[in-house]
């Protein structure tokens, strides 16, 4: 069997329906195999490798099934470094097949070889951004490499893996068999010991102000049902990190939303006043922990902490837990549910706590409501979030890009289901929203997919429009157009005496705000588009775009001078940070130190 055919058959046996990739001389061998198998596996060629990998990443987040990317040797593969970093930072799986130079030319500096320190050294370029890189240099090494790669990709904490294939290994033949597919995500689940569960439950029963903090681990382990039941049965409110959004339906009264500087006020209030935090599959990164400054989002170590995660490396990274549990999120929650059945506790103790939470929720709602109802031109940000919420069905997928728009959606979007709000969180790579939406739509062809992307983000990957047309992928792009890299401008204005430099888009001697006419740009690629400058027009335009069921772009002019209200803090030492606009630091003098 030819190496390229073996890879192709393995992908098909592994039920990988798509390869997102771009050609180069290095991978023409496997392109030919994919041509032969084109009825069973589809090649989608976007116009930039970054897009291919974002598509694969988003596809996985929607379906929890991985697909492959394919890039050629040298520059093509170098273009996927950023999206791989993004994927590994958010525990998203994809199989990155990269091509390399022929083994017989290793170390001779042939065209596109990187060999400064080691022959055909692409694996070292991407080493920190994949769980593992494999470089089979003979066809008879492919079966093991492929099986190990896909097993590594989906086991434990998922993430991207790389199989780097020299040119000749695609072409040569050997007497090899296609290896069996690896187990799917969550095939094996780790759990807590009975003693750990008993100890956790004792802490839970003792607490009067408990909160659950959920992260991507809950989403990845598909523990939404168990989380909901656990929260309901013990009446414990749930704070969510971005990729945990929707694991508990966010219109549930116990759902407090996101925490941190741009979190929701009730989440920060509950987080900083809790006496026990049960963190499940969450990692307390700086942006969901107010940069670890006590009193803004959390108050460890006065607050007790149970921290369960499938990855022992995350437990205690930032806050040493009272009980650390290496466990899959769903198994852990199921074990806690079984303990409820066993002990049948009466939970009167949290009544006052739940009442406090209701109060914070209503204060927050009173504060934010007027801006959700305001009509303006340029448009107030809250209005766009509100209209998206009104128009999109609960199963619609929002693929968020990076920037101010994301801050607003983090604060106010109510994800109704898990895997419906895709966020580039750990790495925040610009372009994920605009590009990932294509992969999300291929993963869920029957559901609306909306990319919310900044004018800056979109300008990094505008060719996504070509791909949408070529492959008829009906994504709606909402461009949050504020004529600049406004999230960074705002940091700059706040920290450096109100001076702006290099963060807004201008043209001409008078610094007129500049952007391309995005709608005209879209039409030039064959994508329908509307420019929306008045808030009254946005809702109808979005409805129309969704109904059209074809690629659609809305260029929405948003007020750049309205900032999301901070309810926590974010610090970039040594520059000073701002106190919250709504709510304040709470240091629990009354809480006994442990
Ligand atoms: C690839 C990449 N380059 C740079 C950054 C730094 N960065 C973060 S947000 C941002 C501005 C985003 O601009 P835009 O998409 O217009 O969103 P806005 O903040 O204006 O809403 C920049 C440059 C990044 N996160 N990723
Ligand atoms: Mg912008």
């Amino acid at each position: 069997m030819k190496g390229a055919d073996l890879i192709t058959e393995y992908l098909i046996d592994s039920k990988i329906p798509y390869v997102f990739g771009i050609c180069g001389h290095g991978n023409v061998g496997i392109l030919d195999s994919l041509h032969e198998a084109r009825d069973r596996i589809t090649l989608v060629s976007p116009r930039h490798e970054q897009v291919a990998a974002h598509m694969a990443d988003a596809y996985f987040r929607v379906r929890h099934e991985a697909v492959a990317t394919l890039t050629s040797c040298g520059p093509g593969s170098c273009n996927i470094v950023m999206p791989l970093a993004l994927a590994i930072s958010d525990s998203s799986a994809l199989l990155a097949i990269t091509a390399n130079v022929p083994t017989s030319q290793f170390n001779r500096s042939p065209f596109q070889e990187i060999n400064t320190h080691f022959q055909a050294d692409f694996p070292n370029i991407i080493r920190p951004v994949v769980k593992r890189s494999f470089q089979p240099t003979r066809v008879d090494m492919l079966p093991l490499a492929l099986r190990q790669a896909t097993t590594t990709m989906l086991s434990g904490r998922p993430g991207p893996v790389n199989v780097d294939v020299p040119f000749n290994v695609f072409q040569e033949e050997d007497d090899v068999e296609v290896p069996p597919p690896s187990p799917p995500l969550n095939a094996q689940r780790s759990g807590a010991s009975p003693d750990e569960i008993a100890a956790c439950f004792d802490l839970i029963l003792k607490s009067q102000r408990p909160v659950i903090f959920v992260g991507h681990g809950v989403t990845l382990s598909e523990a939404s049902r168990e989380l909901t039941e656990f929260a309901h049965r013990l009446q414990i409110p749930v704070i969510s990190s971005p990729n945990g959004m929707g694991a508990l339906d966010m219109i549930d009264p116990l759902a407090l939303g996101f925490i941190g500087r741009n979190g929701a006020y009730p989440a920060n209030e509950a987080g900083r006043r809790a006496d026990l935090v049960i963190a499940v599959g969450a990692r307390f990164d700086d942006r969901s922990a107010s940069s670890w400054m006590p009193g803004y989002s959390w108050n460890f170590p006065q607050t007790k902490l149970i921290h369960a995660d499938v990855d022992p490396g995350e437990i205690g990274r930032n806050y040493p837990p009272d009980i650390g549990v290496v466990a899959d999120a769903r198994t852990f929650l199921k074990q806690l549910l079984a303990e409820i059945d066993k002990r049948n506790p009466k939970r009167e103790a949290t009544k006052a706590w739940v009442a406090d939470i209701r109060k914070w929720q209503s204060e927050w709602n009173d504060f934010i409501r007027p801006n959700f109802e305001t009509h303006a031109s340029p448009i107030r940000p809250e209005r766009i979030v509100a209209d998206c919420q009104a128009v999109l069905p609960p199963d619609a997928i929002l693929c968020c890009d990076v920037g101010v728009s994301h801050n607003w959606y983090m604060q106010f979007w109510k994800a109704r289901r898990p895997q419906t709000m895709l966020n580039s969180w750990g790495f925040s790579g610009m372009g994920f929203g605009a590009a990932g939406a294509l992969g999300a739509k291929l993963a869920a062809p029957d559901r609306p997919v909306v990319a919310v992307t900044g004018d800056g983000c979109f300008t990094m990957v505008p060719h996504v429009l070509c791909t949408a047309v070529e492959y008829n992928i009906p994504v709606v792009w909402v461009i949050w157009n504020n004529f600049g890299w406004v999230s960074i401008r705002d940091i700059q204005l706040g920290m450096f005496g109100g001076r702006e430099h290099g963060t807004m888009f201008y043209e001409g001697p008078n610094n007129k705000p500049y952007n391309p006419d995005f709608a005209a740009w879209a039409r030039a690629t064959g994508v329908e588009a509307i420019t929306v400058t008045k808030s009254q027009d946005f809702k109808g335009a979005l409805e129309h775009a969704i109904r059209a069921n074809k690629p659609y772009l809305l260029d929405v002019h948003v007020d750049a001078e309205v900032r999301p209200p901070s309810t926590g803090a974010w610090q970039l030492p040594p520059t000073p940070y701002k106190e919250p606009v709504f709510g304040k630091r709470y240091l629990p003098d009354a809480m006994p130190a442990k």
Side-chain angles (χ1 to χ4, degrees):
M1 202 172 193
K2 207 177 126 173
D5 291 342
L6 182 123
I7 297 171
T8 302
E9 290 304 321
Y10 183 70
L11 298 181
I12 292 167
D13 286 359
S14 300
K15 303 204 165 35
I16 291 179
Y18 288 107
V19 173
F20 302 146
I22 294 194
C23 61
H25 77 277
N27 64 18
V28 285
I30 189 165
L31 288 179
D32 197 51
S33 295
L34 290 169
H35 172 262
E36 192 62 32
R38 65 193 180 283
D39 295 339
R40 294 177 296 149
I41 186 163
T42 304
L43 172 72
V44 176
S45 280
R47 300 298 181 105
H48 193 299
E49 289 84 358
Q50 177 195 352
V51 173
H54 286 329
M55 286 173 68
D57 177 342
Y59 184 99
F60 174 78
R61 294 182 199 225
V62 171
R63 288 186 80 93
H64 287 173
E65 292 162 4
V67 293
T69 60
L70 174 66
T71 49
S72 189
C73 44
S77 288
C78 285
N79 268 347
I80 63 166
V81 174
M82 187 281 257
L84 286 176
L86 196 157
I88 199 155
S89 304
D90 285 342
S91 314
S92 185
L94 65 105
L95 175 63
I97 302 172
T98 53
N100 217 320
V101 302
T103 50
S104 57
Q105 296 181 353
F106 276 16
N107 278 329
R108 303 182 75 158
S109 273
F111 185 46
Q112 297 182 335
E113 182 189 32
I114 296 284
N115 61 10
T116 331
H117 299 284
F118 197 75
Q119 62 201 22
D121 207 8
F122 186 70
N124 262 325
I125 291 179
I126 59 167
R127 191 174 140 137
V129 297
V130 289
K131 278 181 91 175
R132 185 78 156 76
S133 178
F134 298 81
Q135 193 183 55
T137 47
R138 294 158 47 115
V139 175
D140 66 359
M141 294 167 73
L142 275 174
L144 184 68
L146 288 167
R147 188 172 63 73
Q148 289 184 342
T150 49
T151 302
T152 304
M153 171 174 77
L154 293 177
S155 55
R157 182 180 184 172
V161 294
N162 170 231
V163 178
D164 188 65
V165 186
F167 180 88
N168 53 304
V169 178
F170 287 128
Q171 303 299 343
E172 286 163 1
E173 292 185 2
D174 206 336
D175 186 9
V176 283
E177 279 182 21
V178 181
S182 296
L185 184 74
N186 294 321
Q188 296 118 9
R189 292 177 182 270
S190 51
S193 72
D195 285 353
E196 285 170 332
I197 291 296
C200 289
F201 214 79
D202 288 344
L203 268 191
I204 293 169
L205 291 188
K206 260 195 242 148
S207 74
Q208 303 195 321
R209 300 187 307 280
V211 295
I212 305 167
F213 178 41
V214 298
H216 202 188
V218 172
T219 308
L220 287 165
S221 79
E222 299 176 355
S224 178
R225 202 154 46 92
E226 289 76 9
L227 170 72
T228 307
E229 190 183 339
F230 179 65
H232 283 177
R233 284 181 75 179
L234 294 187
Q235 283 297 295
I236 305 181
V238 176
I239 295 171
S240 180
S241 86
N243 289 319
M245 298 285 211
L248 176 68
D249 185 339
M250 290 179 76
I251 63 168
D252 190 298
L254 288 172
L256 303 186
F258 176 55
I259 191 163
R261 180 186 63 170
N262 292 113
Y265 170 71
N268 278 313
E269 279 295 87
R272 56 197 165 208
R273 290 166 197 271
D275 64 354
L276 171 68
V277 173
I278 308 159
V280 189
R283 63 188 179 85
F284 297 105
D285 71 294
D286 58 335
R287 291 194 294 161
S288 48
S290 290
S291 302
W292 312 291
M293 294 184 289
Y296 290 99
S297 291
W298 309 106
N299 261 313
F300 304 114
Q302 285 93 337
T303 303
K304 289 195 182 300
L305 174 62
I306 295 171
H307 195 171
D309 203 287
V310 78
D311 179 356
E314 290 301 347
I315 297 173
R317 182 196 287 279
N318 289 307
Y319 298 120
D322 294 274
I323 306 178
V325 181
V326 181
D328 156 69
R330 190 166 93 181
T331 308
F332 180 65
L333 289 166
K334 271 188 170 171
Q335 290 176 299
L336 288 177
L337 284 170
E339 198 71 7
I340 301 181
D341 290 339
K342 199 166 100 190
R343 299 207 209 176
N344 196 18
K346 297 275 162 294
R347 289 296 282 154
E348 296 297 310
T350 59
K351 268 208 172 138
W353 178 235
V354 173
D356 281 344
I357 282 162
R358 293 282 163 274
K359 190 176 72 148
W360 298 325
Q361 283 170 321
S362 86
E363 283 169 10
W364 180 235
N365 286 336
D366 290 347
F367 173 70
I368 62 178
R369 192 176 307 116
N371 298 326
F372 277 85
E373 290 159 4
T374 304
H375 278 297
S377 174
I379 306 173
R380 259 202 88 101
E382 296 92 328
R383 186 78 223 185
I384 302 174
V385 181
D387 285 348
C388 285
Q389 197 87 56
V391 169
L392 297 178
D395 68 347
I397 295 164
L398 204 64
C399 199
C400 299
D401 232 311
V402 173
V404 175
S405 63
H406 196 214
N407 292 339
W408 287 103
Y409 278 83
M410 288 313 313
Q411 197 159 41
F412 294 126
W413 184 250
K414 292 194 185 312
R416 305 293 316 279
R417 309 261 196 282
Q419 293 154 264
T420 58
M421 183 188 194
L422 315 185
N423 307 285
S424 164
W425 190 245
F427 211 62
S428 269
M430 290 171 69
F432 169 78
L438 292 168
K441 185 68 188 177
L442 292 174
D446 300 330
R447 294 154 59 187
V449 174
V450 174
V452 179
T453 176
D455 49 326
C457 288
F458 185 78
T459 313
M460 287 205 173
V461 289
H463 39 76
V464 292
L465 299 173
C466 314
T467 306
V469 172
E470 284 176 89
Y471 295 90
N472 189 24
I473 308 174
V475 161
V476 176
W477 286 271
V478 171
I479 299 194
W480 189 282
N481 189 352
N482 51 20
F483 293 83
W485 287 320
V486 168
S487 45
I488 310 301
R489 179 206 63 172
D490 285 350
I491 296 173
Q492 192 177 47
L493 295 184
M495 287 181 178
F496 299 98
R499 290 181 293 279
E500 183 275 319
H501 190 56
T503 53
M504 294 300 281
F505 307 141
Y506 299 120
E507 88 159 298
N510 300 324
N511 275 354
K512 228 174 94 216
Y514 167 78
N515 250 332
D517 177 341
F518 287 108
W521 201 354
R523 281 184 220 112
T525 66
V527 169
E528 281 193 43
I530 310 178
T531 306
V532 183
T533 55
K534 294 205 304 278
S535 51
Q536 287 87 340
D537 298 338
F538 176 67
K539 194 169 172 204
L542 181 62
E543 277 165 349
H544 174 77
I546 304 260
R547 230 179 301 119
N549 197 29
K550 45 183 156 176
Y552 222 107
L553 182 144
L554 304 180
D555 175 15
V556 185
H557 291 209
V558 188
D559 194 334
E561 304 310 322
V562 184
R563 290 158 182 95
S566 62
T567 61
W570 192 50
Q571 187 186 32
L572 291 170
T575 41
Y577 58 93
K578 288 233 163 87
E579 290 298 316
V581 167
F582 194 80
K584 56 179 188 299
R585 188 177 200 177
Y586 167 81
L587 281 168
D589 299 328
M591 288 167 74
K594 281 190 293 194

